Amino acid sequence: MTQKTIRVDGPVHAHLEDKKAEYGAETFNEVLKRELGIIPDPSELDKLAAYFAPELQDAVQQTVEVIRDIDDLHEHVEETEYGDDYKLVFTDPETGMDIAYIEFGDNRFDYYYRNTKREWEQAAAGDYRKRNDELQFGDSGAGTYDHIELGDVKDTVRQTLSGAIQRWRD
């Protein structure tokens, strides 16, 4: 990607610094993308899942509601390292630590949490297979990402996130 330089005056720079802290962003580029509406707001889950089949949109909505019901975590949206997908990140306000996220991909979502080694571990997923017209879910406990129900995914999210919050607050 071509790098461009934008010059700003002191007050604009100070404003961008404030917004950077508010958003938990690392770069001014991220701040500008948020301000310009290029990166969706966490409240715009429908935009994050816009290309999902309706059944998968409903499943990710239910999964996010489970996370929101567990604790009052801060939320922000980041681009993935690939730069063409997004993830909804949940941050513990007491520790300031990112503790879980849901990554939105091509007709799939993946749930990750911060494990006991402070590493990201995938624990659940939802996937829509167009050729089979089939919605599939999985969790790491099953050792596979096939043949479990959405309820099992939600249980996995509750268990792993509750444990992570407790561990990292102690």
Side-chain angles (χ1 to χ4, degrees):
M1 181 187 330
T2 304
Q3 296 292 325
K4 304 287 182 185
T5 301
I6 298 174
R7 296 175 194 247
V8 297
D9 61 17
V12 172
H13 189 272
H15 179 75
L16 289 173
E17 282 288 354
D18 291 344
K19 287 293 185 177
K20 204 167 133 182
E22 177 184 328
Y23 289 137
E26 293 183 16
T27 66
F28 288 145
N29 194 49
E30 288 178 57
V31 172
L32 290 172
K33 283 183 176 183
R34 290 179 200 281
E35 289 291 305
L36 296 171
I38 295 169
I39 294 178
D41 188 81
S43 64
E44 299 174 311
L45 191 56
D46 57 327
K47 286 185 180 179
L48 291 167
Y51 294 105
F52 286 5
E55 301 91 338
L56 192 59
Q57 287 178 352
D58 183 54
V60 76
Q61 177 68 44
Q62 290 183 48
T63 303
V64 169
E65 286 172 12
V66 165
I67 293 170
R68 289 175 176 162
D69 287 345
I70 290 172
D71 206 312
D72 188 23
L73 302 173
H74 294 168
E75 301 175 23
H76 66 277
V77 176
E78 294 178 3
E79 290 179 302
T80 63
E81 48 275 6
Y82 316 113
D84 55 354
D85 291 327
Y86 296 103
K87 57 185 176 182
L88 178 58
V89 181
F90 299 91
T91 305
D92 180 15
E94 289 187 27
T95 63
M97 180 185 292
D98 291 344
I99 204 152
Y101 68 87
I102 294 179
E103 188 169 291
F104 295 79
D106 185 26
N107 269 323
R108 98 178 258 118
F109 70 89
D110 298 287
Y111 162 77
Y112 292 81
Y113 74 101
R114 190 159 316 264
N115 68 18
T116 59
K117 297 176 185 173
R118 290 187 176 237
E119 297 170 350
W120 289 114
E121 183 174 326
Q122 184 179 11
D127 190 323
Y128 185 77
R129 308 276 169 111
K130 289 181 185 179
R131 68 179 170 266
N132 300 344
D133 195 33
E134 184 175 69
L135 190 60
Q136 296 178 323
F137 300 103
D139 70 14
S140 58
T144 181
Y145 287 91
D146 295 330
H147 312 298
I148 69 167
E149 301 295 320
L150 177 58
D152 299 321
V153 168
K154 295 188 318 187
D155 289 344
T156 296
V157 169
R158 273 187 207 96
Q159 180 182 8
T160 58
L161 184 57
S162 296
I165 289 170
Q166 183 179 356
R167 170 174 289 280
W168 299 117
R169 283 186 181 169
D170 291 341

